């Protein structure tokens, strides 16, 4: 990886460089820079983390460690679809957490990971503020109120196979 | 040099201002067990094995990272502390895969010594038995995460004394892992100088030298850190 070959043609890198410039490449602006990078790329790959480390003059392991510590940062590419299960208090009582466990087993991935084919990311969120719809699941930003396992799995299947229309 | 006086295990001890309870206690002959402490490194208070009771404090404090203060009354060996230390070591043993019989550091391991000293002959907790992985991509050294207790001595020695900061920690809690550079194989590191100080500093068999009986603690880290500081 040659960090001295800036990706001039890539707008995303240009935007990131601009943010680093604005922060005057201060080492203590690391978290802000990581957020900016994730906004540009959707996740943080090693190349970007290495670039940030070099620009801010920080040890690469420190940059990776900070990115790995905070749940806000993704170190793996997100799937093409997102399935977000609410595990807030009401949804938990209505079986949201159990639903999440069943989905984990069904998809064979832990919560927070993407399926091996990159078609779906499974995540949870503490509360979506729509407790009347418990248990609530969001599919690509679309609400599935009073979600239950079988219908949800069917919807996931259609989305992952054919209906790859959304990002 | 301003001095102060405190009481450790009913003994009156004189200490320098800014000195830790741990080093004052050691001078007075009270042997407090430690795991993550290493002379010459900034104390981390990471392992909690050196917890001591201070009169008037609601809960035990780590002796390595707590300054001695005038008039403190410290106890280093109560039943409560022994129970806490035992639990900590048992949890450490349950967290990874410590198989002494097949470890390069068998009988030269600070975790094993401490477990023996505390009389631990069984573990009350369910073993997590993670597949923590081994990295032997480096030409001379290896790291076996199954034997790592996350004391961060390697991280600190590499940062504070060698100045390379090759190691850091990824993740949280029991899922934390010591990582090299961008969580890459040690052999591909762009920062590692191959100095071996991390291997020297590791209290267990997690960091080891290949094809050699791993010699640990042969470098005087305290003197190194003094030299380093004297040049600043």
């Amino acid at each position: 990886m040659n960090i001295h070959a800036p990706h001039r043609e890539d707008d995303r890198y240009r935007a990131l460089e601009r943010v680093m410039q604005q922060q005057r490449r201060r080492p203590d602006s690391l978290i802000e820079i990581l957020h900016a990078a994730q906004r540009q790329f959707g996740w943080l790959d090693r190349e970007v983390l290495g670039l940030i480390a070099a620009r801010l003059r920080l040890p690469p392991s420190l940059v990776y460690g900070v990115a790995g510590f905070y749940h806000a940062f993704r170190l793996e590419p997100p799937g093409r679809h997102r399935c977000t299960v609410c595990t807030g208090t009401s949804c938990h009582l209505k079986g949201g957490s159990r639903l999440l466990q069943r989905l984990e087993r069904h998809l064979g991935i832990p919560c927070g990971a993407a399926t091996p084919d990159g078609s779906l990311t499974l995540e949870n969120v503490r509360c979506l503020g729509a407790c009347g719809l418990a248990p609530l699941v969001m599919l690509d930003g679309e609400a599935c109120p009073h979600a239950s396992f079988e219908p949800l799995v069917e919807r996931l299947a259609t989305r992952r196979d054919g209906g790859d229309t959304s990002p | 040099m301003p001095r102060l006086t405190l009481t450790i295990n009913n003994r009156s001890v004189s200490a320098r201002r800014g000195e830790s309870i741990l080093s004052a206690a050691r001078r007075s002959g009270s042997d407090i067990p430690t795991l993550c402490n290493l002379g010459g490194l900034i104390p981390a208070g990471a392992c909690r094995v050196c917890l001591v009771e201070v009169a008037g404090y609601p809960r035990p404090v780590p002796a390595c990272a707590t300054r001695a203060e005038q008039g403190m009354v410290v106890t280093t060996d109560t039943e409560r502390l022994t129970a806490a230390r035992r639990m900590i070591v048992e949890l450490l043993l349950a967290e990874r895969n410590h198989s002494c019989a097949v470890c390069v550091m068998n009988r030269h391991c600070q975790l094993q010594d401490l477990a023996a000293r505390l009389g631990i002959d069984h573990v009350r907790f369910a073993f997590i038995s993670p597949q923590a992985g081994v990295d032997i991509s480096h030409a001379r050294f290896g790291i076996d995460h199954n034997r790592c207790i996350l004391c961060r001595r390697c991280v600190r020695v590499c940062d504070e004394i060698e100045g390379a900061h090759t190691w850091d920690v990824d993740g949280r809690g029991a899922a934390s892992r010591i990582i090299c550079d961008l969580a890459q194989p040690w052999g591909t590191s762009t920062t590692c100088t191959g100095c071996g100080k991390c291997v020297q500093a590791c209290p267990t068999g997690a960091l080891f030298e290949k094809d050699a009986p791993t010699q640990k603690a042969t470098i005087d880290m305290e003197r190194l850190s003094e030299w380093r500081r004297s040049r600043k």
Side-chain angles (χ1 to χ4, degrees):
Chain A
M1 184 192 76
N2 181 7
I3 57 113
H4 299 295
H7 311 258
R8 283 180 220 285
E9 70 293 341
D10 191 330
D11 284 346
R12 297 174 305 176
Y13 277 103
R14 278 221 296 270
L16 178 60
E17 293 280 10
R18 216 172 21 248
V19 174
M20 289 195 278
Q21 211 66 55
Q22 279 163 0
Q23 296 291 343
R24 293 200 212 92
R25 298 190 185 170
R26 289 195 334 274
D28 58 355
S29 66
L30 173 63
I31 291 181
E32 210 154 330
I33 306 287
L34 290 172
H35 276 296
Q38 188 159 277
R39 267 199 302 280
Q40 291 301 329
F41 297 92
W43 63 293
L44 301 170
D45 68 357
R46 287 198 170 93
E47 197 179 348
V48 168
L49 290 171
L51 176 87
I52 291 170
R55 288 281 186 271
L56 304 187
R57 302 237 166 112
L58 286 168
S61 60
L62 187 146
V63 172
Y64 194 99
V66 169
F69 180 81
Y70 292 105
H71 292 304
F73 299 121
R74 303 180 153 280
L75 297 172
E76 265 110 41
R80 288 186 297 281
H81 297 286
R82 273 174 80 182
C83 177
T84 314
V85 182
C86 182
T87 52
T89 309
S90 304
C91 290
H92 171 75
L93 290 173
K94 287 284 199 176
S97 306
R98 220 170 330 133
L99 180 65
L100 181 62
Q101 274 175 1
R102 284 185 75 184
L103 285 171
E104 282 178 322
R105 268 203 302 276
H106 172 76
L107 297 165
I109 50 166
C111 176
T115 52
D117 65 353
S119 66
L120 181 77
T121 295
L122 180 66
E123 352 174 89
N124 77 314
V125 63
R126 279 288 167 235
C127 183
L128 288 162
C131 304
L133 307 178
L136 182 60
V137 173
M138 303 291 283
L139 268 184
D140 295 330
E142 202 180 303
C144 313
H146 312 298
S148 62
F149 182 70
E150 279 85 8
L152 192 62
V153 166
E154 268 175 49
R155 286 185 72 169
L156 285 176
T158 42
R159 239 167 234 259
R160 290 170 68 194
D161 300 340
D164 250 9
T165 45
S166 33
Chain B
M1 209 58 167
R3 299 195 74 84
L4 46 87
T5 311
L6 69 160
T7 311
I8 301 179
N9 296 340
N10 301 323
R11 270 206 199 140
S12 184
V13 185
S14 149
R16 284 192 321 278
R17 200 161 290 287
E19 194 178 5
S20 69
I21 295 176
L22 179 67
S23 78
R26 284 200 170 149
R27 236 177 322 102
S28 79
S30 293
D31 183 22
I32 302 170
T34 58
L35 272 178
C36 74
N37 189 264
L38 186 63
L41 300 185
I42 298 167
C47 72
R48 321 307 281 180
V49 162
C50 70
L51 289 176
V52 294
E53 307 258 19
V54 179
Y57 284 30
R59 63 188 68 88
V61 293
C64 68
T66 310
R67 284 204 186 108
E69 302 205 13
Q70 178 60 40
M72 251 183 184
V73 179
V74 181
T75 329
T76 70
D77 236 344
T78 62
E79 286 212 357
R80 184 178 162 202
L81 290 173
T82 308
R85 285 173 193 152
R86 281 186 68 115
M87 188 164 87
I88 289 162
V89 174
E90 282 182 54
L91 286 166
L92 282 174
L93 292 168
E95 195 174 85
R96 299 276 166 109
N97 305 301
H98 296 280
S99 317
C100 301
V102 293
C103 179
V104 284
M105 290 308 286
N106 191 14
R107 299 178 57 241
H108 304 281
C109 166
Q110 290 176 17
L111 178 66
Q112 190 183 40
D113 293 348
L114 182 57
R117 174 177 162 175
L118 295 170
I120 292 171
D121 51 12
H122 68 286
V123 174
R124 284 166 289 173
F125 311 106
F127 284 81
I128 298 176
S129 308
Q131 296 272 323
V134 181
D135 175 1
I136 50 167
S137 58
H138 191 277
R140 290 162 48 218
F141 309 119
I143 178 166
D144 182 347
H145 296 279
N146 296 289
R147 302 171 184 154
C148 171
I149 57 168
L150 297 169
C151 67
R152 291 147 170 82
R153 269 159 54 157
C154 54
V155 177
R156 288 178 286 147
V157 86
C158 187
D159 174 55
E160 294 166 26
I161 296 184
E162 179 61 10
H165 201 116
T166 297
W167 301 112
D168 209 297
V169 185
D170 176 35
R172 292 172 173 230
S176 300
R177 289 284 183 279
I178 298 292
I179 53 162
C180 163
D181 289 359
L182 296 170
Q184 66 205 65
W186 193 358
T188 66
S189 171
T190 51
T191 59
C192 176
T193 60
C195 74
K197 288 189 192 67
C198 54
V199 178
Q200 293 278 313
C202 179
T204 72
L207 283 159
F208 54 90
E209 205 161 342
K210 290 180 179 178
D211 322 317
T214 301
Q215 296 285 314
K216 298 237 177 178
T218 51
I219 298 176
D220 186 347
M221 300 289 181
E222 232 161 316
R223 189 181 293 181
L224 279 183
S225 82
E226 269 167 30
W227 283 339
R228 231 195 121 96
R229 276 201 304 271
S230 72
R231 287 202 308 275
K232 270 187 183 154

